[in-house]
Amino acid sequence: MFEDQLESVRKASRGDGRLDLALITDGLRAEREQGITIDVAYRYFQTPRRKFIIADTPGHEQYTRNMATGASTAELAVILVDARNGVLPQSRRHACIASLLGIRRAAVAVNKMDLLDFRQDVFEGIRAEFADVLARLGFEQPVFIPVSARDGDNVVTRSPRTPWFRGPSLLEYLETVDAAPGPGEGPLRFPVQIVIRPNQDFRGYAGQVVSGRLRVGDPVLVLPSRLETRVTAIATREGDLPEAAHPQSPVVCLADQLDIGRGDMLADPAAPPTVAREFAATLIWMAAEPLRPGAAYLLKHTTRQVCADVRAVRHAIDMRTLEPVPAPSELRLNDIAEVEIETHQPICFDSYRRNRGTGSFILIDMISNRTVAAGMILDSTARADAAGRAVAAKHRGLTVWFTGLSASGKTTLCNAVYQRLAARGCKLELLDGDTVRKHLSKGLGFSREDRDENIRRIGFVAGLLTRNGVIALAAAISPYRAIRGEVRAAIGDFVEVYVNAPLEVCEARDPKGLYREARAGQLPGFTGIDDPYEPPLGAEVECRTDRESVEECVRKVLAAVDRALSGY
């Protein structure tokens, strides 16, 4: 320590006149007044063997988010256990969070042994209890060390007051333990941060190598477009390089002029990440306001920021037992849970255990812009893979045809699906039956022949859009099965959505008063009253709008769209 730092600690020390070493890291006034750690403090030191960075994190449950912040970049955890109190719930909490954040090595410092006369039975009891916890959490060969931090026993050198202990001192262990695999190991992952275009002759993509290596001449896969190209140059401020690795931040030039922007990723073609909109994750909730399933947030992942919905909470984790417990109605400050998340646009990710850089994310409140949660992505599910393949596949057109009685909810559902697909960045057009009647089909009546002609016109436009790579959303009563089949056959890429609501429900809704007029004889030939509606026999999706919410219906339609676009 520098002399001025030591002098500051000496002046701030209270009590029996001894140097209070805790003040080296507890620098905040509130920390010194209360005698606790609140925020994360980073301190740097080195020995002849190694360089170290200490992240001193708080132990109290109230500051779990601070502990998670400090642990997120660590390779090893030193967990302090008060010998007088034994293994507390907060000890389990610290171990659980460290495990979730990918730490696999731990040293358990059983502190304040001097207050218990360095009793071996106390130390062995704590080791037996906590070793079982650490084994369940996946820690590799944790080391237990009896220490007196105040007196220095077994901290730097081995203590004569623990002749029964044959292990290393804490510093000896830290100097000799095998380092964890570096964050840069694994297949290539290069999230693009910005496009560099100083002139017409140069186009480069700047970012940081999260893992793997970039070499001139190597093939790379561009995600989410899945186009392949190769590296032609790796530029830096100091000049061009033959290769770059983590944590370098070069500018990469490619052989082909591709549409690449912020949030896209260059990856190893032989080992690409998952591209998907749906995944499961472990979430640490960090906000005073609770999380409610279905709420929308901004999700920051590598260099990409997208809208996201927390669709469901699978289960929470009980910190006392480390066992899953039934999903709560909402997550509160410092709760840890497994959740399902859906993003409005695809992201390129690995599971957190395989790659911290591409497996981690944060959630941001859209209004306050505050970080409300930190997340670690779990292994992708089959459903997420299917959705990822659908969205990541080369985008082709599709007609999504909403049919059903008047007031069944076709337009409402169609608009909701339009908004969700627009948020993904899809090319879209909406063909609403009422709007088409005012323009494209102006002058047509409501005889069977005129109704069929109206549907043919809508189908013709939808077909043109589909062939040109647009998703056409058409909402029309289209009561006759034969003409719907004719349109389907003409277009080919077609998803039929049967918006099913009983006639009595539609009449009760009747937003335009059409059913009332039809019952009064003012609208002859009205579908459902004196003209039949022929329900689909093989619709890809059926939405019961009298029983299902709009969100439930939207999810069913989007799943069908994803399957159709991916060919599944």
Side-chain angles (χ1 to χ4, degrees), residues 239-261:
D240 288 0
L241 300 174
E243 67 176 45
H246 176 82
Q248 289 176 288
S249 299
V251 176
V252 180
C253 300
L254 303 176
D256 301 293
Q257 299 291 325
L258 303 177
D259 182 11
I260 302 173

Side-chain angles (χ1 to χ4, degrees), residues 201-244:
D201 299 323
F202 185 93
R203 182 196 295 267
Y205 307 98
Q208 184 182 48
V209 181
V210 171
S211 63
R213 288 184 175 273
L214 274 167
R215 296 181 180 87
V216 175
D218 278 0
V220 291
L221 179 69
V222 181
L223 296 171
S225 66
R226 296 191 180 274
L227 299 174
E228 288 197 38
T229 184
R230 60 183 179 83
V231 179
T232 57
I234 302 173
T236 68
R237 188 180 183 89
E238 291 75 28
D240 288 0
L241 300 174
E243 67 176 45

